[in-house]
């Protein structure tokens, strides 16, 4: 039994609320429309206070059902961040805080835990003064945060990819609900030095299943559009589905062609050791951090993890896709000149600029055997004849469903006349214009995860639903890395055949080395 002095607000509220539900006066009567009593709010620790973390935090602080009580980042306060707009973050903060002078006199792009704490406390003091808010705790180390913040419901993880699994598992084992930015983990990995072999992705999912906490991957978006696509396919609008093509215009960051050799000093107020987390020791370099981390095998998971979680996950759900049994990757190469000789440059540390991947799936349920193709770095399928009939070309990003009798581009049968005929045959209304987004660039499904965190039904964006797509994305990263290595050796890699049950490639033993991550002492993962 838990000692009485260790029973926190979360454990106390559930039975109390159940017993008093009939007699409670509605909150909106006490505090006005939209009012949420402090005792009814979800308390949340915000882990990862860089530019994207700040961008999403500016939306979250306005959510009345959420109270951010702690922030965490290895950077205390920095102005050397990289973003897509020199003043975008600053201008957004000014708008939210209603202070046109915020950040005046600061050069560079600022972020870090001090700034996050300042923003939250300023906003709450201005907008929630009646709630007697006590302030935001600040930490460099998420482990210290989880140890000290006893009265905490949930965490939101906005760190670089290599820390997602580590923090999510630690939080779930302490029975905190978890929001995590994509991906769930940045690789399928043998967990060393543990004796058993478990994938990071699967360990995250298994920990969620065993602990029973509510979870949500922030790449989730409503499946409504692909529900309509699924129905078109089931109706036979394009015949038997054969292939799906999905592509992005990423990367939006430089892919590294060489390991850094210079040794700049570690910036003040930056704990480089904590930023590395489970990864191997190496000297600090800014080329590893902030917005460019995603291009490195050790710290990121490439363009496919950046955008594939948004665009491929709905495909997996719409078509009931399992984990693929075959993964083949082809990637761009680069060259270098040494002593007047030009050769292909070996690179086993960073993702290529451009990739295409073929995933194969066996027949399952009502679906035939399928192929799903991924493209990035400017690669994409060629424009189908059906689209040319409308005088259009393939867009920079999108999804193409190809059947033996027709084509669907994104949510529409092409050419347009066939879409009109389909709507007429089904008595469907004409679209009203406008296209749905992806849920705020990572903020998707807020109503769903809030309800789940309060004890309601699981969000559709939960980790269990994300498992198959997440594993496929991690396997793609492995196939890219292996394919690039053998191409440098004047070979072409075959499709890798994946044994899901035994967690290995069966036809190319050499590729299994890229399933392995060697954890630093004290950082090895252990699930629930």
């Amino acid at each position: 039994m838990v000692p009485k002095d260790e029973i926190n607000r979360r454990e106390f509220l559930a039975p109390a609320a159940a017993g008093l539900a009939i007699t409670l006066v509605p909150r909106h009567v006490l505090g006005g429309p939209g009012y949420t009593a402090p005792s009814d709010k979800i308390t949340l620790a915000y882990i990862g206070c860089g530019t994207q973390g700040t961008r999403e935090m500016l939306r979250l602080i306005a959510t009345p059902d959420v109270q951010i009580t702690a922030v965490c980042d290895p950077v205390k306060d920095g102005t050397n961040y990289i973003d897509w707009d020199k003043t975008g973050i600053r201008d957004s903060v000014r708008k939210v805080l209603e202070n046109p002078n915020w950040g005046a006199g600061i050069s560079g792009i600022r972020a870090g835990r001090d700034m996050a704490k300042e923003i939250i406390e300023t906003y709450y003091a201005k907008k929630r003064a009646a709630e007697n808010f006590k302030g935001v705790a600040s930490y460099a180390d998420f482990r210290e945060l989880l140890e000290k913040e006893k009265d905490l419901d949930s965490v939101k993880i906005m760190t670089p990819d290599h820390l997602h699994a580590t923090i999510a598992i630690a939080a779930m084992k302490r029975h905190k609900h978890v929001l995590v930015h994509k991906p769930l983990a940045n690789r399928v990995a043998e967990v060393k030095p543990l004796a058993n072999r478990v994938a990071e992705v699967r360990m995250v999912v298994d920990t969620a299943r065993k602990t029973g906490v509510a979870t949500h991957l922030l790449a989730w978006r409503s499946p409504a559009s692909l529900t309509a696509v699924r129905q078109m396919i089931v109706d036979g609008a394009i015949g038997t589905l054969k292939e799906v093509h999905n592509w992005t215009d990423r990367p939006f960051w430089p892919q590294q062609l060489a390991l850094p050799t210079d040794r700049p000093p570690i910036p003040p107020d930056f704990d480089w050791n904590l930023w590395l987390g489970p990864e191997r020791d190496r000297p600090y370099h800014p080329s590893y951090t902030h917005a460019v981390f995603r291009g490195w095998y050790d710290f990121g998971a490439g363009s496919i993890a950046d955008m594939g979680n948004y665009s491929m996950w709905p495909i997996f759900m719409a078509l009931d896709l399992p984990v693929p049994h075959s993964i083949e990757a082809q990637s761009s190469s680069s060259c270098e000149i040494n002593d007047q000789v030009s050769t292909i440059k070996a690179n086993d540390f960073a993702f290529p600029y451009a990739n295409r991947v073929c995933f194969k799936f066996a027949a399952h349920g009502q679906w035939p055997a399928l192929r799903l193709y991924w493209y990035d770095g400017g690669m994409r399928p060629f424009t189908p004849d059906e689209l040319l009939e409308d005088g259009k070309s393939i867009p920079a990003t999108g999804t193409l469903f190809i059947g033996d009798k027709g084509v669907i581009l994104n949510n529409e049968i092409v050419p347009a006349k066939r879409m009109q005929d389909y709507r007429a045959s089904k008595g469907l209304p004409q679209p009203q214009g406008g296209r749905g987004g992806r849920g705020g660039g990572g903020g998707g499904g807020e109503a769903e995860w809030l309800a789940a965190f309060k004890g309601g039904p699981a969000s559709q964006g939960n980790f269990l639903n994300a498992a198959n797509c997440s594993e496929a994305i991690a396997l793609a990263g492995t196939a890219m890395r292996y394919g690039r290595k053998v191409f440098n050796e004047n070979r072409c890699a075959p499709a890798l055949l994946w044994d899901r049950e035994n967690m290995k490639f069966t036809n190319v033993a050499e590729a299994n080395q890229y399933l392995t991550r060697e954890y630093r002492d004290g950082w090895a993962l252990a699930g629930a």
Side-chain angles (χ1 to χ4, degrees), residues 198-506:
V198 185
E200 274 191 358
V201 169
R202 292 195 194 175
M203 188 176 286
V204 172
V205 174
D206 287 345
T207 303
R209 182 182 293 110
K210 291 175 181 177
T211 59
V213 300
T215 60
H216 185 86
L217 181 63
L218 286 157
W220 173 251
R221 62 180 180 180
S222 169
S225 62
L226 281 189
T227 299
V229 170
R230 175 188 171 111
Q231 190 60 51
M232 293 177 204
I233 297 170
V234 170
D235 288 342
I238 60 171
T240 300
L241 182 65
K242 298 294 186 183
E243 300 175 352
V244 183
H245 298 253
N246 184 228
W247 63 100
T248 182
D249 51 1
R250 264 49 169 194
F252 281 0
W253 53 87
Q255 302 289 93
Q256 303 296 327
L257 300 179
L259 289 166
T261 56
D262 56 323
R263 297 290 180 263
I266 299 174
D269 297 329
F270 179 29
D271 193 320
W272 171 241
N273 182 63
L274 286 177
W275 190 92
L276 280 175
E279 272 300 335
R280 296 165 296 168
D281 287 315
R282 71 204 71 199
Y284 162 80
H285 199 278
S287 292
Y288 293 131
T289 62
H290 301 333
V292 296
F293 70 86
R294 191 165 274 118
W296 299 96
Y297 291 139
D298 285 346
F299 303 123
S303 297
I304 191 170
D306 181 40
M307 297 309 294
N309 280 281
Y310 293 114
S311 58
M312 285 175 54
W313 188 8
I315 297 169
F316 267 73
M317 296 192 72
L319 303 180
D320 310 315
L321 292 178
V323 173
H325 64 79
S326 171
I327 309 96
E328 183 176 3
Q330 297 177 350
S331 304
S332 62
S333 61
S334 55
C335 295
E336 63 180 350
I337 298 174
N338 289 312
D339 192 24
Q340 299 177 270
V341 176
S342 182
T343 58
I344 293 175
K345 181 176 177 60
N347 184 333
D348 194 30
F349 46 79
F351 283 91
Y353 268 102
N355 303 275
R356 62 179 186 175
V357 182
C358 176
F359 303 96
K360 293 181 182 178
F361 303 89
H364 56 285
Q366 64 179 308
W367 304 106
L370 295 172
R371 295 187 180 193
L372 169 60
Y373 294 89
W374 167 264
Y375 310 78
D376 61 41
M379 298 293 101
R380 56 194 181 277
F382 291 105
T383 302
D385 291 342
E386 292 87 345
L387 192 58
L388 290 174
E389 288 184 39
D390 288 337
K392 298 179 180 180
S393 61
I394 208 81
T397 63
T399 304
L400 192 65
F401 299 85
I402 299 179
D404 60 4
K405 296 180 181 178
V407 172
I408 297 171
L409 175 61
N410 295 329
N411 309 326
E412 302 279 322
I413 302 169
V414 291
K417 184 181 184 307
R418 286 197 62 186
M419 187 70 216
Q420 293 168 1
D421 292 343
Y422 174 79
R423 286 196 182 100
S425 71
K426 298 295 178 180
L428 299 176
Q430 292 296 316
Q432 297 303 307
R435 291 184 59 186
R438 69 181 192 194
E446 183 174 287
E448 288 190 53
W449 65 255
L450 269 173
F453 284 17
K454 288 189 171 187
S459 159
Q460 291 185 79
N462 68 73
F463 292 175
L464 277 64
N465 282 349
N468 289 355
C469 182
S470 295
E471 186 165 327
I473 287 172
L475 289 169
T478 301
M480 290 173 192
R481 188 171 185 179
Y482 174 70
R484 197 176 196 192
K485 177 181 183 294
V486 300
F487 189 77
N488 290 336
E489 298 169 357
N490 201 29
R491 294 184 286 153
C492 289
L496 301 178
L497 304 182
W498 180 239
D499 180 348
R500 187 178 187 277
E501 297 303 317
N502 294 303
M503 292 286 296
K504 66 179 181 179
F505 297 115
T506 57

Side-chain angles (χ1 to χ4, degrees), residues 33-298:
Y35 175 76
T36 303
S39 58
D40 290 343
K41 295 181 187 296
I42 294 294
T43 55
L44 180 141
Y46 209 97
I47 304 176
C49 304
T51 54
Q52 186 62 20
T54 300
R55 190 175 286 109
E56 293 195 15
M57 184 189 69
L58 292 173
R59 290 194 296 267
L60 190 60
I61 57 175
T63 303
D65 288 347
V66 174
Q67 191 88 50
I68 302 175
T69 58
V71 295
C72 179
D73 199 285
V75 177
K76 187 174 188 293
D77 204 335
T79 58
N80 66 334
Y81 282 82
I82 298 168
D83 199 37
W84 322 124
D85 186 305
K86 189 65 179 288
T87 63
I89 294 292
R90 185 205 67 185
D91 294 345
S92 295
V93 174
R94 288 179 174 183
K95 182 177 180 180
V96 169
L97 297 184
E98 299 172 342
N99 178 0
N101 297 314
W102 186 90
I106 296 176
S107 61
I109 297 176
R110 183 188 175 204
R113 65 182 186 270
D114 273 8
M115 189 179 93
K117 175 180 170 71
E118 174 189 330
I119 292 169
I120 298 164
E121 291 182 341
T122 302
Y123 183 88
Y124 285 172
K126 191 170 187 176
K127 301 293 186 179
R128 300 183 180 182
E131 296 176 12
N132 194 27
F133 178 61
K134 294 182 173 60
V136 175
S138 179
Y139 299 89
D141 192 333
F142 73 89
R143 297 168 298 184
E144 182 185 6
L145 182 154
L146 292 174
E147 177 65 31
K148 291 184 176 180
E149 295 295 312
K150 303 295 186 183
D151 194 19
L152 185 68
D153 299 314
S154 60
V155 301
K156 180 174 181 179
I157 301 167
M158 294 294 300
T159 66
D161 297 354
H162 70 290
L163 287 161
H164 286 189
T166 300
I167 301 173
I169 289 172
M172 289 188 288
K173 288 171 68 175
R174 289 182 176 270
H175 302 286
K176 312 301 181 189
H177 305 309
V178 176
L179 298 167
V180 66
H181 208 249
K182 37 74 180 174
L184 288 184
N186 76 322
R187 68 183 71 184
V188 177
E190 174 186 334
V191 180
K192 289 186 173 184
L194 300 180
N196 61 317
R197 297 185 176 190
V198 185
E200 274 191 358
V201 169
R202 292 195 194 175
M203 188 176 286
V204 172
V205 174
D206 287 345
T207 303
R209 182 182 293 110
K210 291 175 181 177
T211 59
V213 300
T215 60
H216 185 86
L217 181 63
L218 286 157
W220 173 251
R221 62 180 180 180
S222 169
S225 62
L226 281 189
T227 299
V229 170
R230 175 188 171 111
Q231 190 60 51
M232 293 177 204
I233 297 170
V234 170
D235 288 342
I238 60 171
T240 300
L241 182 65
K242 298 294 186 183
E243 300 175 352
V244 183
H245 298 253
N246 184 228
W247 63 100
T248 182
D249 51 1
R250 264 49 169 194
F252 281 0
W253 53 87
Q255 302 289 93
Q256 303 296 327
L257 300 179
L259 289 166
T261 56
D262 56 323
R263 297 290 180 263
I266 299 174
D269 297 329
F270 179 29
D271 193 320
W272 171 241
N273 182 63
L274 286 177
W275 190 92
L276 280 175
E279 272 300 335
R280 296 165 296 168
D281 287 315
R282 71 204 71 199
Y284 162 80
H285 199 278
S287 292
Y288 293 131
T289 62
H290 301 333
V292 296
F293 70 86
R294 191 165 274 118
W296 299 96
Y297 291 139
D298 285 346

